[in-house]
Amino acid sequence: MPKKLQTTELEKIIKPLPQRERKTLAAQDLTSAWLEENIGRSKRSIKMDLWVGIPWFVLYSVALFAKGIGNLSLGIFVLGMIYFIYAIFTHGSYGLNKKRVSVYEQLLDKMKQ
């Protein structure tokens, strides 16, 4: 049976997250199933950012050095920016998701102790 975390212990663990997420987590009844689900969701978001970000960077770099600043490089740049802006507003940035995974795993470990 998972144990309930004390408020001070919870606040110390969730401190790396933005204030809006800290308030949501502090008000929510945390369960191990919810934490595991959100760990998986954040890891999928990280993986998706890597699968899109690295090829985008390579394509943009090749286009920029091969053709210079032109329609091709600008088009690739705009497509990448559209994806990353969409990603930030829908599931968070790469760095935020790394923080989420770290915090959720710490919370899960504390609950299972």
Side-chain angles (χ1 to χ4, degrees), residues 55-66:
W56 170 79
F57 178 75
V58 170
L59 284 173
Y60 177 66
S61 298
V62 168
L64 189 61
F65 289 117

Side-chain angles (χ1 to χ4, degrees), residues 93-106:
S93 66
Y94 178 86
L96 177 60
N97 283 313
K98 289 287 256 187
K99 287 180 187 177
R100 285 178 183 157
V101 168
S102 172
V103 167
Y104 294 157
E105 286 177 344
Q106 287 179 14

